[in-house]
């Protein structure tokens, strides 16, 4: 009986010991498995960071944007798998999937990277500068009042008068005719500094939207033409956009060339102008910006002339002399006066743009001392430019025009075009769409158990992004 009891105790203790070793082996196996998995995931993380280090250097240096170089991305899967195996990781599956280019998502990725870069700038000061720049745009209510004043021009009476012009002894030459003749030539000849050359570079439009719209013909004998010249200022909308799109405008001002930049290289010269205009030629982009600046300055100048009684009296006297009717038909003379004022305001706008392109500044609200063009010189646009004054510069007006562009998708698409074209100056065949902003890496390996003749598959997926 005693031997039986001893045998039972021995069996019990043996089973207890076996159970203990089984539990211990399971725990050790679990710890070993977790350590293997942690080591596996760490190797994957390190290999992903190695891939992230192969960013496109010119993209970072010139535009502060991070993306895996497209040349490396093409061979990245094979290269990373080889690196893992060199580190002793026996890979059974290695896949790079879901690649996301920096050009994807309609510019949202570019916008994200711009925000990441610009957050290190003195944003509050920059925003104040941007708001100050917007002071160069006429208020929406002022634009409406200006349009209403032109609407009252008696066009019919004027047309009848000019139809009978042969039978009337015209006492004064109408300067509007000479101005229109000047404007029929290339407007850049009227505003560009003497001796400056104009770039004829072509732009390869890939990501942006090309604007093929032509500038409307200007006719200071037609109130409809003058009304078309008055742009919808969208000043209130632009102010609302500062919080969402202000960073991209400031970024563009920092990173892209404009017509005043010297030694800009051999590529596209008017990058900011392209962001605004979207034409396929450098010249056309600059010309479009000149027209837009002229329209902005025209509205401000016209507002000043309407508030200046001396200028109105001078224009009225000229209108009466042109019509040769004195005050007998006051409605007709008043209509001619308003259109003469419009031509005068636009002539001053051309001189303003000439000043801007010479590196000067233009005050938003003109005064008698800052006004540059005399009515007697309207036919030739000769004026003594006043460049040493405070106000908005050419760069300020470019920021205004870019902020007035209310389609962010269009703006970011054109930025991508300019980035790609700039880098192609030194790297032919470069394609921004091949540069990866993010991707998914899936890796699996076979793991042997420590105590058992078994194996299992370890698999992990990780998304890498800048």
């Amino acid at each position: 009986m005693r031997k039986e009891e001893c045998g039972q105790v021995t069996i019990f203790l043996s089973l207890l010991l076996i159970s203990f070793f089984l539990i211990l082996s399971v725990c050790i196996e679990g710890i070993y498995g977790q350590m293997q998995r942690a080591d596996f995931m760490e190797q994957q993380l390190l290999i992903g960071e190695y891939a992230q280090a192969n960013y496109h250097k010119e993209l970072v240096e010139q535009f502060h944007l991070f993306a895996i170089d497209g040349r490396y991305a093409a061979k990245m899967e094979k290269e990373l798998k080889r690196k893992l195996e060199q580190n002793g990781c026996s890979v059974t599956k290695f896949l790079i999937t879901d690649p996301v280019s920096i050009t994807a998502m309609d510019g949202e990725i570019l916008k994200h990277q711009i925000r990441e870069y610009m957050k290190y700038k003195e944003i509050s000061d920059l925003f104040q500068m941007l708001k100050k720049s917007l002071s160069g745009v006429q208020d929406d209510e002022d634009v409406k009042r200006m349009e209403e004043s032109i609407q009252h021009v008696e066009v019919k009476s004027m047309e009848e008068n000019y139809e009978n012009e042969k039978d009337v002894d015209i006492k004064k030459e109408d300067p509007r005719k000479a101005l229109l003749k000047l404007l029929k030539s290339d407007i850049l000849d009227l505003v560009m500094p003497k001796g400056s050359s104009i770039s004829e570079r072509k732009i390869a439009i890939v990501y942006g939207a090309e604007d093929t719209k032509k500038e409307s013909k200007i006719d200071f004998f037609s109130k409809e033409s003058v009304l078309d010249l008055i742009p919808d200022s969208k000043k209130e909308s632009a102010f609302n956009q500062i919080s969402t799109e202000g960073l991209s405008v400031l970024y563009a001002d920092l990173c892209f060339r404009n017509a005043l930049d010297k030694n800009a290289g051999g590529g596209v010269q008017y990058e900011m102008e392209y962001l605004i205009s979207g034409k396929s030629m450098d010249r056309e982009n600059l010309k479009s910006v000149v027209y837009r600046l002229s329209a902005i300055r025209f509205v401000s100048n016209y507002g000043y002339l309407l508030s200046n009684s001396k200028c109105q009296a001078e224009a009225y006297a000229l209108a009466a002399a042109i019509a040769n009717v004195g005050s007998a038909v006051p409605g007709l003379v008043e209509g001619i006066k308003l259109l003469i004022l419009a031509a005068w305001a636009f002539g001053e706008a051309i001189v303003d743009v000439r000043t801007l392109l010479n590196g000067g500044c233009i005050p938003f609200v003109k005064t008698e001392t800052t006004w540059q063009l005399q009515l007697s010189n309207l036919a030739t646009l000769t004026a003594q430019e006043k460049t040493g004054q405070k106000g908005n510069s050419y760069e300020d007006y470019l920021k205004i025009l870019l902020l007035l562009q209310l389609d962010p998708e269009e703006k970011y698409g054109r930025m991508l075009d300019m980035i790609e074209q700039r880098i192609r100056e030194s790297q032919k065949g470069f394609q921004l769409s091949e540069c990866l902003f993010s991707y998914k890496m899936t890796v699996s390996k076979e793991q042997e158990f420590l105590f058992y003749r078994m194996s299992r598959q370890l698999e992990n997926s990780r998304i890498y992004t800048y």
Side-chain angles (χ1 to χ4, degrees):
M1 191 69 178
R2 193 177 182 91
K3 288 182 180 179
E4 257 180 52
E5 289 178 359
C6 287
Q8 288 175 358
V9 171
T10 301
I11 292 170
F12 173 74
L13 290 175
S14 299
L15 289 173
L16 191 63
L17 187 61
I18 291 170
S19 299
F20 172 75
F21 278 117
L22 282 173
I23 293 170
L24 182 62
S25 68
V26 169
C27 290
I28 292 173
E29 194 68 65
I31 293 170
Y32 175 76
Q34 287 300 317
M35 289 176 63
Q36 288 290 305
R37 184 171 184 82
D39 182 64
F40 169 66
M41 293 177 68
E42 184 179 1
Q43 287 189 53
Q44 183 184 6
L45 176 63
L46 291 174
I47 211 72
E49 289 179 350
Y50 170 80
Q52 299 290 88
N54 285 279
Y55 54 80
H56 196 284
K57 292 179 176 55
E58 290 86 354
L59 203 56
V60 174
E61 291 170 359
Q62 297 184 46
F63 299 100
H64 317 287
L65 303 175
F66 283 89
I68 293 177
D69 193 326
R71 293 167 295 186
Y72 181 77
K75 59 181 181 179
M76 183 168 67
E77 185 174 306
K78 185 178 179 181
E79 176 76 9
L80 295 183
K81 183 180 179 181
R82 184 178 62 81
K83 283 282 183 185
L84 269 176
E85 290 173 342
Q86 284 178 351
N87 293 338
C89 182
S90 180
V91 177
T92 56
K93 181 171 76 172
F94 189 97
L95 292 175
I96 299 293
T97 57
D98 304 333
V100 178
S101 167
I102 196 172
T103 62
M105 298 175 63
D106 299 324
E108 285 299 316
I109 291 175
L110 177 61
K111 183 177 180 179
H112 164 73
Q113 291 232 38
I114 288 173
R115 284 178 174 273
E116 288 298 302
Y117 170 66
M118 293 299 293
K119 71 182 181 183
Y120 298 107
K121 301 291 182 183
E122 295 294 333
I123 298 301
S124 58
D125 293 342
L126 292 173
F127 274 8
Q128 288 303 318
M129 290 169 55
L130 203 55
K131 288 180 179 178
K132 178 179 174 292
S133 295
L134 269 177
S135 64
V137 181
Q138 197 83 6
D139 290 329
D140 298 347
E141 291 300 319
D142 294 338
V143 171
K144 288 178 182 177
R145 284 195 293 270
M146 201 171 300
E147 289 175 338
E148 288 172 2
S149 71
I150 298 174
Q151 288 284 5
H152 292 94
V153 172
E154 294 186 19
V155 178
K156 186 175 180 180
S157 298
M158 286 177 57
E159 288 173 349
E160 290 174 355
N161 180 73
Y162 280 101
E163 283 175 5
N164 299 323
E165 191 176 294
K166 293 180 181 178
D167 303 324
V168 179
D169 180 21
I170 303 295
K171 293 184 177 179
K172 195 82 172 178
E173 182 66 32
D174 193 333
R176 290 176 295 172
K177 295 179 181 179
L179 177 60
L180 291 177
K181 187 175 180 181
L182 285 176
L183 294 176
K184 282 181 181 178
S185 62
D186 194 337
I187 196 170
L188 296 181
D189 294 337
L190 302 176
V191 297
M192 291 300 287
K194 290 182 179 179
S196 62
S197 59
I198 299 171
S199 171
E200 302 289 348
R201 286 277 178 176
K202 187 173 176 59
I203 297 160
I205 299 177
V206 179
Y207 311 104
E210 183 177 2
D211 185 355
T212 57
K213 188 167 58 178
K214 302 280 187 182
E215 275 75 22
S216 56
K217 186 179 178 182
I218 303 172
D219 183 2
F220 294 109
F221 292 89
S222 164
K223 74 174 183 180
E224 286 78 14
S225 178
V226 174
L227 286 170
D228 289 341
L229 190 59
I230 299 176
D232 181 8
S233 78
K234 303 175 185 175
K235 185 174 182 177
E236 186 176 344
S237 300
F239 262 117
N240 295 335
Q241 282 224 130
I242 287 180
S243 60
T244 57
E245 296 301 318
L247 286 177
S248 65
V249 172
L250 294 169
Y251 170 82
D253 182 54
L254 287 171
C255 296
F256 294 101
R257 305 163 177 163
N258 64 65
L260 296 191
D261 287 333
K262 295 185 180 0
N263 302 319
V268 174
Q269 301 297 295
Y270 314 136
E271 295 175 340
M272 278 287 283
E273 288 81 356
Y274 168 71
L275 300 185
I276 294 163
S277 304
K279 309 292 185 182
S280 60
M281 294 288 294
D282 251 351
R283 171 183 282 272
E284 295 304 313
N285 285 314
L286 181 58
K287 188 185 295 186
S288 177
V289 164
V290 166
Y291 273 113
R292 295 180 194 217
L293 291 183
S294 301
I296 290 177
R297 290 306 313 159
F298 162 75
V299 173
S300 179
N301 293 339
Y302 194 62
Y304 166 75
L305 290 176
L306 290 176
S307 66
N308 188 306
S309 57
K310 181 180 177 182
C311 291
Q312 290 203 65
E314 189 177 352
Y316 190 91
L318 178 59
I322 289 171
N324 197 22
V325 293
S327 59
V329 189
L332 171 61
V333 177
E334 184 66 20
I336 297 175
K337 182 200 82 171
L338 287 172
L339 292 181
I340 287 174
L341 288 174
W344 192 1
F346 192 80
E348 176 76 4
I350 294 293
V351 177
D352 287 343
V353 176
R354 186 190 299 162
T355 300
L356 292 172
L357 287 169
N358 271 295
C361 294
I362 296 295
F364 167 55
V365 180
K366 288 290 184 74
T367 63
E368 190 171 346
T369 57
T370 57
W371 191 265
Q372 302 179 96
L373 181 66
Q374 300 301 315
L375 183 56
S376 57
N377 294 329
L378 178 58
T380 58
L381 293 179
T382 55
Q384 185 177 0
E385 295 177 32
K386 303 169 182 178
T387 57
Q389 50 200 338
K390 294 181 180 180
N392 288 332
S393 66
Y394 180 72
E395 288 87 352
D396 290 330
Y397 276 105
L398 290 181
K399 285 183 279 190
I400 290 171
L401 290 174
L402 198 55
L403 199 59
L404 291 175
Q405 187 185 61
L406 301 181
D407 186 351
E409 185 178 326
E410 184 176 288
K411 175 174 59 190
Y412 292 117
R414 291 174 182 173
M415 282 186 183
L416 292 170
D417 280 330
M418 287 296 92
I419 292 169
E420 182 170 287
Q421 195 134 347
R422 172 96 67 85
I423 293 178
R424 280 186 176 179
E425 292 174 23
S426 58
Q427 184 184 326
K428 292 183 179 179
F430 170 78
Q431 287 189 345
L432 198 57
S433 59
E434 294 178 353
C435 296
L436 299 186
F437 171 74
S438 71
Y439 61 93
K440 181 179 180 181
M441 182 194 296
T442 302
V443 184
S444 65
K445 64 172 284 190
E446 192 173 289
Q447 179 193 354
E448 297 288 339
F449 282 89
L450 184 62
F451 296 113
Y452 311 106
R453 293 181 179 179
M454 297 171 61
S455 63
R456 62 175 177 176
Q457 287 290 323
L458 288 180
E459 183 169 307
N460 187 56
S461 295
R462 181 188 289 271
I463 294 175
Y464 295 87
T465 185
Y466 284 104

